[in-house]
Amino acid sequence: MIKELTCINCPMGCQLTVVDKNDDGNYEVTGNTCKRGPKYAINELTNPTRVIPTTVVVRNAMLPRLPVKTAEPIPKGKIFDAMKVINQVVVDAPIKSGDIIIENLLGLGINVVSTKTMAKC
Amino acid sequence: MIYDVVILGGGPAGLSAAVEAKKDGAENVLILERDRELGGILNQCIHNGFGLHTFNEELTGPEYAERYIHQVTDLGIPYLLNTMVLDLTDNGDLKTIHVINEEDGYTVIQSKAVILTMGCRERTSGAIGIPGYRPSGVFTAGTVQRYINMEGYMPGKEVVILGSGDIGLIMARRMTLEGAHVNAVCELMPYSNGLVRNIVQCLDDYDIPLKLSHTITFIHGKDRIEGVSVSQVDEKMKVIPGTEEYIPCDTLLLSVGLIPENEITRTAGVEMDDRTNGSVVGELRQTSIPGIFACGNVVHVHDLVDFVSEEAVLAGKGAAKYVKGTLDTNVTFTTVNGNGISYVVPQQVAMKNVEENVTFYMRVRQVFKDRVVNAYIGDQLVATKKEKKLLPAEMVNFKIAKDVLAQYPAGEIRFVVEEAKK
Ligand SMILES: Cc1cc2nc3c(=O)[nH]c(=O)nc-3n(C[C@H](O)[C@H](O)[C@H](O)COP(=O)(O)OP(=O)(O)OC[C@H]3O[C@@H](n4cnc5c(N)ncnc54)[C@H](O)[C@@H]3O)c2cc1C
Ligand code: SF4
């Protein structure tokens, strides 16, 4: 098996080639500039994951939305389920960047954290 | 009070320039920001992918901004929010900045040096030529980014995006996540204007079609947009008859590019460059008016905020040197964009101000594969950079060591795209 991928870990966007000579899961990755590339490629073929940046409703802050993200990438297939859960959350200011907004999202062992500090007003 | 350095704009460029100017010995530094918070456009860019170069960590826009805001507050650099700069005038050793602010009304601030960091705004010209009525439901991608991410307001459910700039791609994903259906992203050029990583993670991940060499030929609907007619174009960008397709939608986003915000710069009399729509700058981002510096998107549109911060450090250094009277004004080199290159920044280099190297930022005119970018002084090849892939959407940064440049007394540095020698 040979597969071409674009590494999305950073804006360099390296063109990666993954070769699995005997189709036994022994992947050989070329085209990467740094060591994140091979890790990404193998993940992408076995269990593709993404960080989800989105927002939740916040009360008593300067703005009605607080930006949040999943602290770790979650499986691609869970993205819309995750959005359903995240969209039900309402928090109150003050909030600090890094505060946990949802613990153990969908039982994945991954938290949703705030990405902005918002004072109460 | 007379300030040493006043910074016009509190986005990433302004924050980083302020920090550097202060660290380099400028005492009274002040940041002026028209918005209600610091951070600039990063506040609405809630997606991740910032800062990999600077912090070796993948941050969202607000997180990246907060890192710099902390540095500003830690150094005790004052800033004024809700303060709009109206005008800048040069009176030789002092610059006068005219501002308007909710509390104090109209005031005048004086400073020895000024750094322009007003950023850029979105082009809207993409829509002007399209036939049809001007219904509601047509927005720039950045406006919708602000609506959704900061105000929590979804402008529509059935979306078409014109232009494949990064903001459009990011918004295609964002609107999909929030339950909208993005029908297509139409790009006039045969290649995307966004980063490849954004095509992969924003379009491919959600099966959103990218229609290259396509444009919108009609906007349907009178009060609210009802749909668009999309047609294919040939290599001369002429519509190919018979390729028209109707796509229903209630929202059209325009992501057709950014232009530096330079009204203040122009009225101040700073020399401009038609290629970048920004000012002509030197290695420390000095403009044609002594004591006025510029960096970030106001100079040229950057695709990565990391490079904005990097450039802003130069401007901060420059302004501090100017205030201390140690900035050299003798231009050694000018830069020229040769074959395949559309612009080069900086446009001038004063070698006495250079520490270890000079980074030249440039963009290519078209897509190239397996080429080199060469730098020539006269007919001497001074430096070369191999590139597997060159895209107009991805800025090239080309570092040349001081020692290399110092071998030449003066002249033009010309950058060209060439075939790699075997
Ligand atoms: C809508 C949009 C989305 C973007 N998304 C990304 C992205 O996802 N990733 C990325 O790397 N880059 C993105 N960019 C590019 C981004 O602009 C740069 O990476 C970076 O934010 C530029 O920094 P800056 O400080 O030069 O400009 P800005 O962040 O635009 O900051 C300029 C600041 O100056 C202030 N200002 C302007 N005029 C005045 C005035 N007259 N008086 C007072 N204050 C003033 C503005 O309010 C603003 O805060 C985006 C740009 C736009 C327009
Ligand atoms: S391989 Fe490394 S350098 Fe290349 S895109 Fe991936 S993270 Fe970036």
Side-chain angles (χ1 to χ4, degrees):
Chain A
M1 180 222 66
I2 297 182
K3 216 169 150 78
E4 303 272 337
L5 295 172
T6 306
C7 179
I8 59 166
N9 269 310
C10 91
M12 292 267 300
C14 296
Q15 264 334 105
L16 309 177
T17 309
V18 191
V19 183
D20 185 2
K21 251 194 230 140
N22 310 314
D23 289 311
D24 58 358
N26 248 330
Y27 299 109
E28 230 175 82
V29 183
T30 51
N32 54 300
T33 305
C34 80
K35 60 182 193 295
R36 287 171 202 261
K39 203 174 147 209
Y40 167 79
I42 293 166
N43 240 334
E44 195 65 9
L45 293 179
T46 52
N47 176 30
T49 58
R50 299 284 184 266
V51 167
I52 323 222
T54 180
T55 58
V56 297
V57 174
V58 59
R59 288 184 300 209
N60 309 322
M62 185 178 69
L63 290 162
R65 285 294 181 281
L66 170 76
V68 299
K69 68 175 182 187
T70 55
E72 301 285 332
I74 69 164
K76 248 169 93 172
K78 300 273 189 211
I79 292 178
F80 285 97
D81 292 337
M83 282 301 292
K84 274 196 205 119
V85 176
I86 299 170
N87 275 344
Q88 272 157 23
V89 172
V90 178
V91 295
D92 286 293
I95 303 261
K96 283 221 278 302
S97 184
D99 282 359
I100 296 175
I101 303 299
I102 302 174
E103 228 167 301
N104 192 11
L105 176 70
L106 300 170
L108 294 167
I110 292 167
N111 297 334
V112 173
V113 295
S114 155
T115 59
K116 190 177 166 101
T117 300
M118 277 191 160
K120 189 175 168 154
C121 57
Chain B
M1 166 154 145
I2 292 170
Y3 286 93
D4 284 337
V5 183
V6 172
I7 289 145
L8 312 193
L15 296 172
S16 173
V19 166
E20 187 64 29
K22 181 88 185 182
K23 281 186 184 160
D24 281 12
E27 272 166 32
N28 297 309
V29 178
L30 173 70
I31 303 172
L32 303 174
E33 170 57 54
R34 68 178 168 199
D35 212 338
R36 54 201 155 180
E37 59 183 336
L38 294 174
I41 215 83
L42 292 180
N43 287 314
Q44 67 185 62
C45 302
I46 63 159
H47 55 278
N48 51 311
F50 297 87
L52 254 166
H53 292 276
T54 317
F55 298 110
N56 201 22
E57 220 183 305
E58 205 179 3
L59 304 173
T60 64
E63 289 174 311
Y64 187 93
E66 252 179 67
R67 301 257 166 138
Y68 282 94
I69 294 171
H70 281 156
Q71 294 182 34
V72 164
T73 45
D74 287 350
L75 288 169
I77 300 172
Y79 53 89
L80 293 175
L81 299 176
N82 301 308
T83 304
M84 173 92 176
V85 176
L86 302 173
D87 200 24
L88 165 67
T89 48
D90 170 40
N91 321 93
D93 287 345
L94 278 187
K95 321 289 167 212
T96 308
I97 306 147
H98 304 258
V99 305
I100 188 148
N101 156 308
E102 272 175 17
E103 277 163 41
D104 309 324
Y106 172 85
T107 24
V108 167
I109 295 169
Q110 290 199 306
S111 184
K112 293 176 192 158
V114 167
I115 307 181
L116 307 172
T117 56
M118 292 90 73
C120 58
R121 66 186 142 81
E122 292 180 280
R123 269 184 215 275
T124 49
S125 56
I128 290 167
I130 307 173
Y133 290 103
R134 291 285 160 264
S136 65
V138 183
F139 309 91
T140 62
T143 306
V144 172
Q145 190 176 44
R146 196 177 173 96
Y147 280 165
I148 299 179
N149 294 344
M150 299 179 74
E151 319 285 345
Y153 161 71
M154 265 296 273
K157 285 276 171 207
E158 286 291 330
V159 185
V160 171
I161 300 177
L162 176 63
S164 62
D166 285 311
I167 312 164
L169 301 177
I170 296 278
M171 289 318 291
R173 172 179 65 181
R174 185 75 189 112
M175 293 194 81
T176 306
L177 283 179
E178 290 296 349
H181 175 238
V182 180
N183 291 283
V185 175
C186 300
E187 170 59 55
L188 182 67
M189 306 303 281
Y191 51 83
S192 162
N193 275 314
L195 301 174
V196 180
R197 70 191 300 255
N198 285 337
I199 308 262
V200 173
Q201 62 178 351
C202 298
L203 301 188
D204 298 353
D205 269 9
Y206 301 95
D207 298 318
I208 299 167
L210 171 60
K211 291 174 174 286
L212 297 174
S213 300
H214 274 76
T215 192
I216 292 177
T217 45
F218 200 88
I219 297 177
H220 302 267
K222 213 166 168 183
D223 299 321
R224 177 80 190 194
I225 185 168
E226 287 163 8
V228 290
S229 294
V230 171
S231 295
Q232 205 177 332
V233 298
D234 61 18
E235 7 5 301
K236 296 203 181 88
M237 288 181 229
K238 283 249 159 62
V239 168
I240 305 174
T243 58
E244 193 173 279
E245 175 194 359
Y246 177 78
I247 306 179
C249 64
D250 60 21
T251 307
L252 172 64
L253 302 195
L254 306 171
S255 177
V256 291
L258 302 168
I259 4 177
E261 179 97 57
N262 272 308
E263 283 66 29
I264 294 171
T265 321
R266 285 199 180 86
T267 30
V270 169
E271 185 187 346
M272 303 296 291
D273 184 334
D274 295 340
R275 292 164 297 187
T276 52
N277 286 309
S279 48
V280 171
V281 291
E283 73 298 328
L284 291 179
R285 299 305 181 265
Q286 57 277 52
T287 68
S288 63
I289 300 182
I292 300 184
F293 297 76
C295 58
N297 277 356
V298 79
V299 174
H300 60 128
V301 176
H302 295 63
D303 25 71
L304 289 179
V305 72
D306 303 66
F307 296 136
V308 170
S309 303
E310 202 175 279
E311 187 177 87
V313 168
L314 298 173
K317 271 192 207 306
K321 267 185 193 278
Y322 172 82
V323 170
K324 290 186 284 185
T326 56
L327 185 75
D328 195 77
T329 54
N330 295 304
V331 173
T332 328
F333 298 108
T334 52
T335 60
V336 180
N337 55 315
N339 229 346
I341 306 279
S342 56
Y343 75 77
V344 182
V345 168
Q347 290 87 342
Q348 301 174 343
V349 179
M351 282 298 283
K352 285 225 175 87
N353 298 324
V354 175
E355 285 173 6
E356 278 154 28
N357 46 51
V358 184
T359 302
F360 297 92
Y361 298 100
M362 61 201 77
R363 278 185 199 275
V364 292
R365 284 188 197 281
Q366 64 190 77
V367 178
F368 294 106
K369 284 208 168 118
D370 291 315
R371 297 293 166 97
V372 289
V373 180
N374 284 331
Y376 291 93
I377 296 178
D379 48 16
Q380 290 284 309
L381 178 65
V382 292
T384 184
K385 189 173 193 218
K386 248 201 217 135
E387 296 280 354
K388 263 197 227 152
K389 200 174 55 182
L390 288 158
L391 301 170
E394 301 190 4
M395 199 168 71
V396 179
N397 62 335
F398 193 144
K399 208 176 261 185
I400 306 183
K402 180 181 183 175
D403 303 347
V404 171
L405 290 175
Q407 294 166 23
Y408 303 86
E412 266 181 11
I413 313 176
R414 192 163 43 91
F415 294 88
V416 288
V417 179
E418 291 181 332
E419 299 273 349
K421 285 221 178 70
K422 299 269 147 53

